[in-house]
Amino acid sequence: MYDELKKVIEDSSNIVFFGGAGVSTESGIPDFRSVDGLYNQKYKFPPETILSHSFFMTRPKDFYDFYRDKMICLDAKPNKAHLALAKLEQQGKLKAVVTQNIDGLHQSAGSKKVYELHGSVLRNYCMKCHKFYDISVITDTTGIPKCKCGGIIKPDVVLYEEGLDDKTVTGAVKAIAKADVLIIGGTSLNVYPAAGFLNYFGGSKIVLLNKGETAFDSKADIVIRDPIGQVLGECVGV
């Protein structure tokens, strides 16, 4: 399978990568749905509730207690999957990364064209005056971070009950629609509307790299269950 994937990569000049939490687990960032993921840990409220718009608006202090503890992983470094994708972009083969992750590791690895469907923990903004802040406004404070204008500062991440950014969605869909190879990695494809983006792909090859089965397996030309960093690292040479 590795040789087959190498051949697909060698023959293509228009690859798009669509990834989820499994891309970053090899960097030490926990996913949500695995046995030891956030959804299976015990908190005063379920993570799905805490990470919702309504919870943020009504209990911002509880939100930030959880957010600082579990959603920010600044010590994490890009793994071989991130580095391989950045290398493919530098070679002119990869045209875009579409990610459901909010950790910024693709950019840290050197990727330039990244569509962050769910935003980024590295960006934050005042809900009142819309001034932008970096991550230090969260990490260097306690309680509810406030802007100088008095407004609450919110992470630029898409919470449950919130819609995706229109510009990001448009860019991601266009990239997927134009690609001749779509590599899907580290995602259960259970999160919508993001997973629905794959329906826009009309190219020739679909590659699926995921530890578990997905509903998309039957549509894939290549399915590999090994760790994504291992697969892409070997096939791209990083």
Side-chain angles (χ1 to χ4, degrees):
M1 282 293 189
Y2 282 39
D3 287 340
E4 193 177 345
L5 176 54
K6 284 181 184 178
K7 182 76 164 57
V8 168
I9 291 172
E10 286 172 5
D11 292 346
S12 176
S13 60
N14 192 345
I15 302 169
V16 168
F17 179 82
F18 181 94
V23 178
S24 293
T25 52
E26 289 171 67
S27 294
I29 296 178
D31 67 3
F32 279 73
R33 291 177 172 79
S34 65
V35 174
D36 56 350
L38 289 179
Y39 284 172
N40 293 303
Q41 297 179 21
K42 302 302 180 185
Y43 293 95
K44 189 176 179 182
F45 301 94
E48 305 100 307
T49 299
I50 299 172
L51 296 173
S52 68
H53 177 81
S54 55
F55 190 92
F56 175 83
M57 297 302 292
T58 57
R59 306 184 70 115
K61 185 181 182 305
D62 288 329
F63 171 89
Y64 273 111
D65 287 345
F66 176 87
Y67 187 82
R68 286 188 180 94
D69 187 36
K70 292 296 179 183
M71 301 305 293
I72 300 173
C73 304
L74 296 184
D75 293 334
K77 305 295 182 188
N79 61 55
K80 286 187 176 182
H82 300 106
L83 296 171
L85 293 168
K87 182 176 180 179
L88 288 176
E89 183 183 46
Q90 291 160 9
Q91 293 174 344
K93 290 183 170 295
L94 184 83
K95 300 306 181 187
V97 169
V98 181
T99 181
Q100 299 174 81
N101 296 339
I102 58 175
D103 50 48
L105 290 180
H106 284 293
Q107 291 92 330
S108 294
S111 290
K112 305 299 183 187
K113 181 67 72 174
V114 182
Y115 294 103
E116 297 175 305
L117 298 179
H118 297 152
S120 171
V121 297
L122 303 179
R123 300 187 301 269
N124 306 274
Y125 66 93
C126 172
M127 297 178 71
K128 187 175 180 181
C129 74
H130 305 294
K131 179 181 177 180
F132 263 82
Y133 291 86
D134 65 20
I135 189 65
S136 64
V137 77
I138 308 295
T139 57
D140 296 351
T141 60
T142 59
I144 305 167
K146 295 284 187 72
C147 179
K148 290 180 180 178
C149 77
I152 293 177
I153 295 172
K154 180 183 182 295
D156 190 20
V157 299
V158 179
L159 302 176
Y160 289 102
E161 305 166 352
E162 295 179 346
L164 304 185
D165 176 72
D166 287 343
K167 186 177 179 181
T168 304
V169 167
T170 299
V173 167
K174 283 183 177 179
I176 290 170
K178 290 178 181 177
D180 57 26
V181 172
L182 179 63
I183 301 177
I184 305 164
T187 173
S188 61
L189 299 177
N190 288 328
V191 178
Y192 284 84
F197 286 24
L198 306 187
N199 295 324
Y200 292 94
F201 178 70
S204 60
K205 296 287 184 182
I206 295 175
V207 178
L208 207 150
L209 314 175
N210 198 57
K211 287 183 179 179
E213 292 184 9
T214 77
F216 219 73
D217 286 12
S218 60
K219 299 180 182 180
D221 299 282
I222 300 173
V223 178
I224 302 177
R225 299 285 183 218
D226 296 337
I228 300 167
Q230 174 184 316
V231 178
L232 292 180
E234 184 171 326
C235 291
V236 177
V238 296

